[in-house]
Structure formats: C-alpha cells, structure tokens
Amino acid sequence: MTASTTTDAEQGVPADASALSRYYTELLCWPTTIDPSVGEVRLGLGDTVDALIMRAGFGGEVNHQLIRSMLSAPIIVVPGGPDEWIFLTQPRTPMRDSTIAHLVSLQVGWKKAGSTIVLPAFGSAASELRWLAQPNAGLELPSWAAMVGAVRRTASARAW
C-alpha cells in the first residue's frame, strides 16, 4: 500500500517567484514586486498593507492577545538570533508621540511607508523566512490600531 501525498503544486500553492507574486497580488490584492537580482517576492508597505516587527517571544504573547480578541494576522518568521516576527496589518494610522515611544521601548518597530519586505514562499524550511500564520484571502487584515492595542495590552499584562 502506498501513501498518498499532495505536493504544493497540487494544492494550488505557487512554486516560482512570478507565480508566487501573482498569487499574492491577485488573490490577496497585495502590491508585490519581484526583485530580479535575487528572485524574491517583495511586498510594498504603506498603502494597502503595513507591518509591525517584534522579537518572537513577545510576538507569541501578542498573537495570543489577538486571538483572545478574535483577531488574527498573517505572521512572517524571520530567522536569526533571536527570531523576529512580522505581523501584517492594514495601513498605518496616525499615533500619538506617547504611543510611538511606548512601542519603541517595547522594541516593536515598523518600516517606512513605501519600503518593502520579502514575502516567504509556502512550505519554507524552519531555517528560512517562513509563514507562521499564512494569509487567508477570506480574512481581512487587522487594523493598525487593533494591532498596536494588542501590543500595548500584552505589555501592560506583563507588568503585573
């Protein structure tokens, strides 16, 4: 008896950079480009999608806070020492200076509008850039404010 396995291609998951870019652009409506020098799919930040970046341990706690609020966000794991998590959100909204200072003190960051981040391929190895929580075309990204609120609630819960 042989085991039946399905490949990524059979499941509709794109294999090459151009197919992956089309998948992100057409299915998710994300502004992507391909960096021809390395063949990476890059996501433009600012107009449609934005991102909050934090260390993995704190990110796990923030993700738990999101789930408790019945929200979810696509999460990219950037391997390193320590790993970073990138939470994708709706576009950034204005923040008070005190909120910015609080995020900076928590070592939570973001990129400038107009910058790009690399999007992982599906099925990446644990040692590579990969999805912890994959995007879903049927789910709206969390708002920037909801994501910042989850970060700040997580930090305040740690103070007890």
Short mmCIF file of all heavy atoms in Angstrom, two decimals, residues 7-42:
data_model
loop_
_atom_site.label_atom_id
_atom_site.label_comp_id
_atom_site.label_asym_id
_atom_site.label_seq_id
_atom_site.Cartn_x
_atom_site.Cartn_y
_atom_site.Cartn_z
N THR A 7 1.45 17.43 -3.40
CA THR A 7 2.51 18.43 -3.46
C THR A 7 1.91 19.81 -3.36
O THR A 7 0.70 19.99 -3.50
CB THR A 7 3.28 18.31 -4.79
OG1 THR A 7 2.38 18.63 -5.85
CG2 THR A 7 3.85 16.91 -4.98
N ASP A 8 2.78 20.80 -3.12
CA ASP A 8 2.31 22.18 -3.08
C ASP A 8 1.63 22.56 -4.38
O ASP A 8 0.61 23.23 -4.38
CB ASP A 8 3.46 23.14 -2.80
CG ASP A 8 3.92 23.11 -1.35
OD1 ASP A 8 3.19 22.54 -0.51
OD2 ASP A 8 5.00 23.65 -1.05
N ALA A 9 2.18 22.13 -5.50
CA ALA A 9 1.60 22.46 -6.81
C ALA A 9 0.20 21.88 -6.95
O ALA A 9 -0.70 22.52 -7.48
CB ALA A 9 2.50 21.95 -7.93
N GLU A 10 -0.01 20.66 -6.43
CA GLU A 10 -1.34 20.05 -6.50
C GLU A 10 -2.34 20.79 -5.62
O GLU A 10 -3.53 20.76 -5.87
CB GLU A 10 -1.25 18.59 -6.08
CG GLU A 10 -0.51 17.72 -7.09
CD GLU A 10 -0.21 16.34 -6.55
OE1 GLU A 10 -0.17 16.16 -5.31
OE2 GLU A 10 0.00 15.42 -7.35
N GLN A 11 -1.87 21.43 -4.57
CA GLN A 11 -2.75 22.18 -3.68
C GLN A 11 -2.96 23.61 -4.16
O GLN A 11 -3.64 24.39 -3.50
CB GLN A 11 -2.16 22.21 -2.27
CG GLN A 11 -2.10 20.85 -1.61
CD GLN A 11 -1.45 20.90 -0.25
OE1 GLN A 11 -1.29 21.96 0.34
NE2 GLN A 11 -1.08 19.75 0.27
N GLY A 12 -2.38 23.97 -5.28
CA GLY A 12 -2.55 25.32 -5.80
C GLY A 12 -1.57 26.33 -5.24
O GLY A 12 -1.73 27.53 -5.43
N VAL A 13 -0.56 25.87 -4.52
CA VAL A 13 0.44 26.78 -3.96
C VAL A 13 1.51 27.04 -5.02
O VAL A 13 2.08 26.10 -5.57
CB VAL A 13 1.08 26.19 -2.68
CG1 VAL A 13 2.18 27.09 -2.17
CG2 VAL A 13 0.02 25.98 -1.62
N PRO A 14 1.78 28.30 -5.34
CA PRO A 14 2.74 28.61 -6.39
C PRO A 14 4.16 28.18 -6.04
O PRO A 14 4.55 28.21 -4.88
CB PRO A 14 2.67 30.12 -6.52
CG PRO A 14 1.77 30.61 -5.46
CD PRO A 14 1.16 29.45 -4.75
N ALA A 15 4.93 27.80 -7.07
CA ALA A 15 6.29 27.30 -6.84
C ALA A 15 7.36 28.32 -7.15
O ALA A 15 8.35 28.42 -6.44
CB ALA A 15 6.52 26.05 -7.67
N ASP A 16 7.22 29.11 -8.21
CA ASP A 16 8.27 30.06 -8.57
C ASP A 16 7.88 31.49 -8.18
O ASP A 16 6.74 31.76 -7.81
CB ASP A 16 8.65 29.95 -10.04
CG ASP A 16 7.53 30.40 -10.98
OD1 ASP A 16 6.48 30.87 -10.49
OD2 ASP A 16 7.71 30.28 -12.19
N ALA A 17 8.85 32.39 -8.27
CA ALA A 17 8.64 33.77 -7.81
C ALA A 17 7.53 34.48 -8.57
O ALA A 17 6.72 35.18 -7.97
CB ALA A 17 9.94 34.56 -7.91
N SER A 18 7.45 34.30 -9.89
CA SER A 18 6.41 35.02 -10.64
C SER A 18 5.02 34.49 -10.29
O SER A 18 4.08 35.26 -10.15
CB SER A 18 6.67 34.95 -12.14
OG SER A 18 6.66 33.62 -12.59
N ALA A 19 4.90 33.17 -10.13
CA ALA A 19 3.61 32.60 -9.73
C ALA A 19 3.26 33.03 -8.31
O ALA A 19 2.09 33.33 -8.01
CB ALA A 19 3.65 31.08 -9.84
N LEU A 20 4.26 33.07 -7.43
CA LEU A 20 4.03 33.49 -6.05
C LEU A 20 3.59 34.96 -6.01
O LEU A 20 2.65 35.31 -5.30
CB LEU A 20 5.30 33.29 -5.24
CG LEU A 20 5.20 33.42 -3.73
CD1 LEU A 20 4.22 32.41 -3.16
CD2 LEU A 20 6.56 33.21 -3.09
N SER A 21 4.23 35.81 -6.79
CA SER A 21 3.86 37.21 -6.85
C SER A 21 2.42 37.37 -7.35
O SER A 21 1.64 38.15 -6.80
CB SER A 21 4.82 37.98 -7.76
OG SER A 21 4.48 39.34 -7.79
N ARG A 22 2.06 36.63 -8.40
CA ARG A 22 0.68 36.69 -8.91
C ARG A 22 -0.31 36.24 -7.85
O ARG A 22 -1.38 36.81 -7.69
CB ARG A 22 0.53 35.83 -10.17
CG ARG A 22 0.98 36.51 -11.43
CD ARG A 22 0.54 35.76 -12.69
NE ARG A 22 0.84 34.34 -12.69
CZ ARG A 22 2.01 33.81 -13.00
NH1 ARG A 22 3.02 34.59 -13.35
NH2 ARG A 22 2.19 32.50 -12.97
N TYR A 23 0.04 35.19 -7.11
CA TYR A 23 -0.83 34.68 -6.04
C TYR A 23 -1.10 35.77 -5.02
O TYR A 23 -2.24 36.04 -4.68
CB TYR A 23 -0.17 33.46 -5.38
CG TYR A 23 -0.90 32.95 -4.17
CD1 TYR A 23 -1.99 32.10 -4.31
CD2 TYR A 23 -0.51 33.32 -2.89
CE1 TYR A 23 -2.67 31.62 -3.19
CE2 TYR A 23 -1.19 32.85 -1.78
CZ TYR A 23 -2.26 32.00 -1.94
OH TYR A 23 -2.93 31.54 -0.84
N TYR A 24 -0.03 36.41 -4.54
CA TYR A 24 -0.20 37.47 -3.53
C TYR A 24 -0.96 38.67 -4.11
O TYR A 24 -1.79 39.26 -3.42
CB TYR A 24 1.16 37.94 -3.01
CG TYR A 24 1.87 36.95 -2.10
CD1 TYR A 24 3.18 36.59 -2.33
CD2 TYR A 24 1.23 36.40 -0.99
CE1 TYR A 24 3.85 35.70 -1.49
CE2 TYR A 24 1.89 35.52 -0.16
CZ TYR A 24 3.19 35.17 -0.40
OH TYR A 24 3.84 34.30 0.43
N THR A 25 -0.69 39.02 -5.35
CA THR A 25 -1.31 40.19 -5.96
C THR A 25 -2.76 39.94 -6.34
O THR A 25 -3.63 40.76 -6.04
CB THR A 25 -0.51 40.64 -7.20
OG1 THR A 25 0.84 40.90 -6.80
CG2 THR A 25 -1.10 41.88 -7.82
N GLU A 26 -3.03 38.82 -6.99
CA GLU A 26 -4.38 38.56 -7.48
C GLU A 26 -5.32 38.05 -6.40
O GLU A 26 -6.46 38.49 -6.32
CB GLU A 26 -4.33 37.59 -8.66
CG GLU A 26 -3.65 38.20 -9.88
CD GLU A 26 -3.38 37.20 -10.99
OE1 GLU A 26 -3.86 36.05 -10.91
OE2 GLU A 26 -2.67 37.58 -11.94
N LEU A 27 -4.87 37.13 -5.58
CA LEU A 27 -5.75 36.55 -4.58
C LEU A 27 -5.90 37.44 -3.35
O LEU A 27 -6.98 37.61 -2.82
CB LEU A 27 -5.24 35.17 -4.17
CG LEU A 27 -6.16 34.38 -3.25
CD1 LEU A 27 -7.49 34.07 -3.95
CD2 LEU A 27 -5.50 33.08 -2.82
N LEU A 28 -4.80 38.04 -2.92
CA LEU A 28 -4.82 38.83 -1.69
C LEU A 28 -4.89 40.34 -1.94
O LEU A 28 -5.06 41.10 -1.00
CB LEU A 28 -3.59 38.50 -0.84
CG LEU A 28 -3.47 37.04 -0.41
CD1 LEU A 28 -2.14 36.80 0.27
CD2 LEU A 28 -4.62 36.63 0.48
N CYS A 29 -4.69 40.75 -3.20
CA CYS A 29 -4.69 42.18 -3.58
C CYS A 29 -3.57 42.95 -2.89
O CYS A 29 -3.74 44.10 -2.50
CB CYS A 29 -6.05 42.82 -3.30
SG CYS A 29 -7.39 42.04 -4.20
N TRP A 30 -2.41 42.31 -2.73
CA TRP A 30 -1.25 42.94 -2.12
C TRP A 30 -0.34 43.47 -3.22
O TRP A 30 -0.14 42.81 -4.24
CB TRP A 30 -0.47 41.96 -1.26
CG TRP A 30 -1.16 41.55 0.00
CD1 TRP A 30 -2.35 42.01 0.51
CD2 TRP A 30 -0.70 40.57 0.93
NE1 TRP A 30 -2.64 41.37 1.68
CE2 TRP A 30 -1.64 40.48 1.97
CE3 TRP A 30 0.42 39.75 0.96
CZ2 TRP A 30 -1.50 39.62 3.04
CZ3 TRP A 30 0.57 38.89 2.04
CH2 TRP A 30 -0.38 38.84 3.07
N PRO A 31 0.26 44.64 -3.01
CA PRO A 31 1.19 45.20 -4.01
C PRO A 31 2.56 44.54 -3.92
O PRO A 31 3.36 44.84 -3.04
CB PRO A 31 1.26 46.67 -3.62
CG PRO A 31 1.01 46.68 -2.13
CD PRO A 31 0.05 45.54 -1.88
N THR A 32 2.82 43.60 -4.82
CA THR A 32 4.09 42.88 -4.79
C THR A 32 4.91 43.18 -6.03
O THR A 32 4.38 43.55 -7.08
CB THR A 32 3.88 41.36 -4.69
OG1 THR A 32 3.18 40.91 -5.84
CG2 THR A 32 3.13 40.98 -3.44
N THR A 33 6.21 43.01 -5.89
CA THR A 33 7.14 43.10 -6.99
C THR A 33 8.13 41.94 -6.84
O THR A 33 8.22 41.33 -5.77
CB THR A 33 7.93 44.43 -6.99
OG1 THR A 33 8.62 44.55 -5.74
CG2 THR A 33 7.01 45.61 -7.20
N ILE A 34 8.86 41.67 -7.89
CA ILE A 34 9.90 40.65 -7.83
C ILE A 34 11.24 41.36 -7.95
O ILE A 34 11.45 42.15 -8.86
CB ILE A 34 9.74 39.62 -8.96
CG1 ILE A 34 8.41 38.89 -8.82
CG2 ILE A 34 10.90 38.62 -8.94
CD1 ILE A 34 8.09 37.96 -9.97
N ASP A 35 12.12 41.08 -6.99
CA ASP A 35 13.49 41.60 -7.06
C ASP A 35 14.26 40.70 -8.02
O ASP A 35 14.57 39.56 -7.67
CB ASP A 35 14.12 41.59 -5.67
CG ASP A 35 15.53 42.13 -5.65
OD1 ASP A 35 16.16 42.23 -6.73
OD2 ASP A 35 16.02 42.44 -4.55
N PRO A 36 14.55 41.19 -9.23
CA PRO A 36 15.17 40.31 -10.23
C PRO A 36 16.58 39.85 -9.87
O PRO A 36 17.02 38.79 -10.33
CB PRO A 36 15.18 41.16 -11.50
CG PRO A 36 15.05 42.56 -11.05
CD PRO A 36 14.34 42.53 -9.73
N SER A 37 17.27 40.60 -9.00
CA SER A 37 18.64 40.20 -8.67
C SER A 37 18.70 38.94 -7.83
O SER A 37 19.66 38.19 -7.90
CB SER A 37 19.37 41.35 -7.96
OG SER A 37 18.74 41.63 -6.73
N VAL A 38 17.66 38.69 -7.02
CA VAL A 38 17.66 37.50 -6.16
C VAL A 38 16.41 36.66 -6.32
O VAL A 38 16.30 35.60 -5.72
CB VAL A 38 17.85 37.89 -4.67
CG1 VAL A 38 19.26 38.35 -4.40
CG2 VAL A 38 16.85 38.92 -4.23
N GLY A 39 15.44 37.13 -7.09
CA GLY A 39 14.22 36.37 -7.32
C GLY A 39 13.26 36.34 -6.14
O GLY A 39 12.45 35.43 -6.02
N GLU A 40 13.35 37.35 -5.26
CA GLU A 40 12.47 37.41 -4.10
C GLU A 40 11.19 38.17 -4.45
O GLU A 40 11.21 39.13 -5.21
CB GLU A 40 13.13 38.16 -2.95
CG GLU A 40 14.34 37.49 -2.39
CD GLU A 40 15.04 38.35 -1.34
OE1 GLU A 40 14.94 39.59 -1.38
OE2 GLU A 40 15.72 37.75 -0.50
N VAL A 41 10.09 37.74 -3.84
CA VAL A 41 8.84 38.48 -3.95
C VAL A 41 8.81 39.46 -2.79
O VAL A 41 9.00 39.10 -1.63
CB VAL A 41 7.62 37.53 -3.88
CG1 VAL A 41 6.32 38.32 -3.93
CG2 VAL A 41 7.68 36.50 -5.00
N ARG A 42 8.61 40.74 -3.11
CA ARG A 42 8.63 41.80 -2.11
C ARG A 42 7.27 42.45 -2.02
O ARG A 42 6.59 42.65 -3.03
CB ARG A 42 9.70 42.82 -2.44
CG ARG A 42 11.11 42.16 -2.51
CD ARG A 42 12.24 43.15 -2.48
NE ARG A 42 12.38 43.84 -1.22
CZ ARG A 42 13.05 43.37 -0.16
NH1 ARG A 42 13.60 42.20 -0.20
NH2 ARG A 42 13.16 44.10 0.93
#
